[in-house]
Amino acid sequence: MNLRKKIVASVATAVMVTAGGTLAGATPAEAAHRCGDEFIGIPSDQDANTTLREEVVWPGVAIRLKIKQFQPGVERVFARIQGQTRQGDQVWLDWSYTGGNGWAQCGPFTVSTDHRPNTSGAALRRPNGNTLTFRACMTTQDAGLVCTDWWT
């Protein structure tokens, strides 16, 4: 893992701890409720044709930041973990009104069975006319904490 990713991982862990975050999993409905009104719960196997950011780690687990129109004209952003996942791996979506200089977390959502995908809640891209910045994050048993770069 390069130095930048190690720093991001340390900061993300510190933010989760200081914000009272938990690494316990949640159902899509629970986490969407916890994430705020601009989020909806989506099925754990939800996918989208458009990938905004991606990180792939050994042994072939990918975290992807995705965007999709769930309703005509309404874009939502979500995180997806897939590939050689293991039960207990987790995925979540970080979002920020300040370009990543402070953020909140939606999730984590826990992979229930080996080799299954999972998703975070899906956030409105522009709630109330504000443009958010997003990144997808995961923790895996083999690679630890990994996040994509921020996307606006």
Side-chain angles (χ1 to χ4, degrees):
M1 188 182 306
N2 68 31
L3 181 58
R4 190 179 105 222
K5 288 183 183 173
K6 286 181 182 179
I7 291 169
V8 167
S10 298
V11 170
T13 301
V15 167
M16 284 189 341
V17 171
T18 59
T22 176
L23 291 179
T27 68
E30 291 168 341
H33 174 73
R34 220 174 40 212
C35 297
D37 293 338
E38 64 273 1
F39 283 82
I40 61 170
I42 60 174
S44 62
D45 61 353
Q46 182 67 58
D47 203 355
N49 291 335
T50 304
T51 298
L52 304 169
R53 298 280 190 267
E54 176 181 40
E55 291 288 334
V56 180
V57 297
W58 181 89
V61 178
I63 183 70
R64 293 186 172 114
L65 185 65
K66 308 284 252 174
I67 190 166
K68 182 175 182 174
Q69 286 191 15
F70 287 88
Q71 302 157 285
V74 180
E75 292 181 311
R76 291 188 179 268
V77 177
F78 63 98
R80 176 179 166 86
I81 187 174
Q82 64 186 73
Q84 299 298 313
T85 60
R86 293 174 54 190
Q87 183 178 0
D89 290 348
Q90 297 182 315
V91 60
W92 64 90
L93 182 69
D94 288 341
W95 80 98
S96 172
Y97 284 102
T98 59
N101 295 320
W103 63 89
Q105 173 183 317
C106 179
F109 298 83
T110 303
V111 172
S112 60
T113 305
D114 289 355
H115 311 292
R116 296 278 303 160
N118 205 354
T119 58
S120 69
L124 285 172
R125 181 174 179 198
R126 292 185 178 97
N128 303 318
N130 297 309
T131 300
L132 296 178
T133 302
F134 299 96
R135 71 176 174 188
C137 295
M138 67 179 175
T139 56
T140 69
Q141 296 172 42
D142 296 312
L145 178 67
V146 177
C147 293
T148 65
D149 290 334
W150 288 98
W151 176 85
T152 301

